[in-house]
Amino acid sequence: MSAFFQIRNLQVSAGDTVILKGLNLDLHDGEVTALLGHNGSGKSTLLKALARQLKPRGGGLTLRGEAFDSIRQRDFAREVGYMPQYPPATDGLTVRELVALGRYPWKGPLGRYRDEDQQLIDQAIEDTGLRQFSHRSVDTLSGGERQRAWIALLLAQQTRCLLLDEPISALDVVHQVDTLRLIRSLAKKRGLTVVMVLHDVDLAARFCDRLIALKNGSLAADGSPQQTMNTRTLESIYGIAMGVLERAPGHWVSYVH
């Protein structure tokens, strides 16, 4: 499996505080990966570094073998889409108008949208189940529907990678599962690389191919759900006594003793 991102000795600081400490990872093409760990462990910082929202203090980052610094911003945006934990206000935009913004890296500020662009926008709306909301204001949608609208924007952007910062944190349980099921389905359908910050290890294990845990800015665990969902690994990640039950194949439930 080829590497989409290569992370070598990555160091990121905020002022005098070191957040990521010499991190080394390869993130692979077509893999759905969850970033886990305590608040403050460096998960969102790593995601922002991968999205070029933060500049590392040291180390190197490559995209398909090409150094970040050598990639033009527009070319980077054609490969990588980033959704922050708190997306910006949509200011009355309809779902279709929001999703259409995903074509910006390909068209520029003055580019005209052709039939191909409209088809890509339509497909993104269809793939996220938002056709009936296409002309609704994003502001009037439920939390789960808004998340799908932002994901649709990234699909219209035709990126090969989705970086999602806590995409289910503000949703109820039903919409959490629906959103992760959608992300998993889109990743497989479109061959996408997905890296997302999650807090629920059980849901991460259910919907992701790989679980990466950070602790105090360093790698604490890295493996498949099968390799990660055990007492020893979870206790090393979270620092408390934990147990794990496998209710059905691929469906784990963790608990605190």
Side-chain angles (χ1 to χ4, degrees), residues 123-164:
Q123 189 63 55
I125 291 171
E126 185 71 27
D127 284 353
T128 50
L130 291 172
R131 183 169 58 177
Q132 70 190 71
F133 303 110
S134 180
H135 299 293
R136 281 263 303 271
S137 169
V138 177
D139 297 334
T140 68
L141 301 181
S142 70
E145 291 158 356
R146 282 197 299 273
Q147 291 295 73
R148 282 191 276 152
W150 283 101
I151 292 169
L153 181 154
L154 300 183
L155 296 180
Q157 195 173 319
Q158 284 188 287
T159 60
R160 305 311 309 152
C161 174
L162 305 182
L163 302 177
L164 310 175

Side-chain angles (χ1 to χ4, degrees), residues 20 34 59 63 82 94 123-124 132 141 149 155-156 161 168 194 203-204 220 253:
L20 296 178
L63 170 61
Y82 170 63
T94 67
Q123 189 63 55
Q132 70 190 71
L141 301 181
L155 296 180
C161 174
I168 63 171
V194 179
L203 288 177
V253 177

Side-chain angles (χ1 to χ4, degrees), residues 174-191:
V174 172
H175 286 103
Q176 287 180 356
V177 172
D178 286 346
T179 299
L180 290 178
R181 187 177 286 127
L182 171 67
I183 292 167
R184 175 82 184 180
S185 172
L186 291 171
K188 298 310 173 188
K189 178 180 178 179
R190 293 184 173 226

Side-chain angles (χ1 to χ4, degrees), residues 234-251:
L234 293 185
E235 287 181 353
S236 72
I237 295 170
Y238 295 106
I240 54 175
M242 297 186 69
V244 181
L245 296 174
E246 188 171 9
R247 293 175 50 199
H251 289 205

